[in-house]
Amino acid sequence: MEEKRSNTIPIILGILLALAAIAAIYFGVKHNEQVKEAEIRQAEIDSLVAVRTNLETELNSLNLRYSAIAMENDSLTGSLESAREAIAKKDEQLRWAQRKAATDAKALKDEIAVLETNKEEMVATIDRLTQENEALKMNNAELTEKLSASEQQNTELKGQVGDLERANSLLEQRSSQLASVAYKASAMQVNVAKRNDKTTIKAGRVRKFNVSFDLVDVPDEYRGEQNLYLTITDANGVPVTEGGEKVRVGSETQALVIEALETKKVNVGASQRVEFNHELSDKIQKGFYIISIYADKGLIGSTMYQLI
């Protein structure tokens, strides 16, 4: 009986040792599996954290870009309240996402979804503002161009008005110098032409002046052979051509020294049509010009002509 008991104990001990070994192996394998699973989960979390960090960085960069565009838009329109409210909301959501702890993959995925939505909305807002700014810049450029053209036209108009006032003043002064109301040039006609004799009113193309006038019912004392003179000056009294002949005309009390561009000896009768032609040596500027006809006794007629 004792012999059988002594044989049973080693068997039981062997069985227990085998079971312990099996349990050890089982729990060791389970531990290794848990360690591997934990490593995989941690790797996923680390990857998600990296994705979230990159999104946060992109959103921060978009915020800076938006700020610059918003400032530009603000200067163009002065009104961006709705866009600012939208961006403020995105900033608040971003700060909320940044405060959440990276505890598990699901939480990180939720944060990433929010950040991606914010990023898309931010990009859409920036694109909209950029397009708006471009449209505003184009409109501003057109308005600036129109304003510049208007200012230029206004300046030119002021210059023309001033030129006209000076020309009128000079014409009035010339009219007061008429030698005699009974002996004067009438029906004065001025034609200007290019080199090919085609008519033009463009100052830069004018090369010839043709001036014609009538002397009608001339009193006996003004008849006979005498010199007639042509002068052409701008509104300031400056001759259009240099080198004209200096001639003294008029009586002793009203003597004038003129710069005659053309001189013609005419046998003045009771009535006749007289014509002068003068070719320019240089181009002239646009403006008002005074054309005057003198006789030896003084001024007999003046008129004004505008070139553009």
Side-chain angles (χ1 to χ4, degrees):
M1 195 69 180
E2 290 179 356
E3 183 178 352
K4 285 182 180 180
R5 184 179 296 170
S6 63
N7 289 332
T8 301
I9 291 172
I11 292 172
I12 292 171
L13 291 173
I15 291 171
L16 291 173
L17 289 172
L19 290 172
I22 291 170
I25 293 171
Y26 173 78
F27 286 113
V29 170
K30 279 290 186 181
H31 176 71
N32 288 337
E33 288 178 353
Q34 291 174 351
V35 170
K36 288 181 179 179
E37 288 178 359
E39 289 176 349
I40 291 172
R41 285 197 300 273
Q42 188 60 46
E44 182 182 12
I45 288 173
D46 290 344
S47 176
L48 291 171
V49 169
V51 171
R52 187 187 71 173
T53 301
N54 288 335
L55 282 170
E56 291 171 349
T57 301
E58 289 182 13
L59 276 169
N60 285 330
S61 176
L62 286 171
N63 271 328
L64 292 174
R65 183 181 169 194
Y66 166 78
S67 296
I69 294 175
M71 288 177 63
E72 180 182 33
N73 190 275
D74 205 19
S75 67
L76 291 170
T77 64
S79 176
L80 284 173
E81 292 305 320
S82 59
R84 285 177 174 172
E85 289 176 4
I87 296 302
K89 184 177 180 181
K90 301 300 174 293
D91 286 341
E92 183 179 350
Q93 291 174 344
L94 175 59
R95 288 192 294 272
W96 170 80
Q98 289 173 333
R99 286 196 299 270
K100 293 190 64 179
T103 56
D104 55 49
K106 184 178 182 305
L108 283 169
K109 288 178 181 178
D110 290 342
E111 292 178 27
I112 288 171
V114 172
L115 291 172
E116 285 179 340
T117 300
N118 288 350
K119 175 185 173 182
E120 291 173 0
E121 293 179 356
M122 181 76 79
V123 169
T125 299
I126 288 174
D127 288 343
R128 178 177 60 80
L129 286 177
T130 299
Q131 292 175 2
E132 182 180 344
N133 285 0
E134 290 302 319
L136 286 169
K137 285 179 181 178
M138 186 175 297
N139 289 337
N140 286 350
E142 290 177 358
L143 288 173
T144 300
E145 185 177 353
K146 288 180 180 178
L147 178 61
S148 177
S150 177
E151 289 177 345
Q152 183 176 354
Q153 290 175 355
N154 190 40
T155 300
E156 290 178 355
L157 182 58
K158 287 180 179 178
Q160 290 177 6
V161 170
D163 198 24
L164 177 59
E165 289 176 348
R166 290 192 298 274
N168 274 328
S169 176
L170 182 58
L171 185 59
E172 289 175 2
Q173 179 184 344
R174 293 278 175 84
S175 298
S176 67
Q177 297 170 352
L178 282 173
S180 171
V181 293
Y183 174 43
K184 61 182 181 179
S186 60
M188 288 187 67
Q189 183 177 351
V190 179
N191 292 312
V192 293
K194 298 183 284 187
R195 291 190 188 281
N196 58 6
D197 293 328
K198 288 186 177 181
T199 301
T200 182
I201 59 172
K202 298 289 186 180
R205 298 180 180 178
V206 174
R207 290 297 178 271
K208 298 178 181 179
F209 274 83
N210 177 274
V211 181
S212 58
F213 55 92
D214 289 332
L215 294 175
V216 181
D217 297 328
V218 179
D220 291 339
E221 63 267 29
Y222 294 112
R223 296 179 187 179
E225 190 174 88
Q226 57 183 292
N227 291 323
L228 299 180
Y229 308 98
L230 169 70
T231 67
I232 306 174
T233 69
D234 62 18
N236 296 312
V238 178
V240 295
T241 303
E242 294 182 356
E245 181 186 3
K246 294 287 181 23
V247 180
R248 183 184 179 89
V249 296
S251 63
E252 291 297 329
T253 57
Q254 292 183 328
L256 297 172
V257 176
I258 63 171
E259 191 166 333
L261 301 182
E262 298 291 339
T263 302
K264 177 172 288 191
K265 188 175 288 295
V266 179
N267 187 11
V268 178
S271 297
Q272 58 267 298
R273 184 78 177 170
V274 183
E275 182 176 321
F276 276 96
N277 290 289
H278 177 70
E279 292 195 11
L280 299 174
S281 56
D282 300 307
K283 290 183 179 181
I284 58 177
Q285 301 297 316
K286 60 184 178 180
F288 294 90
Y289 290 87
I290 306 299
I291 297 94
S292 298
I293 303 297
Y294 290 88
D296 289 325
K297 296 184 179 298
L299 181 70
I300 60 174
S302 286
T303 190
M304 181 171 27
Y305 194 88
Q306 182 184 16
L307 295 176
I308 63 174

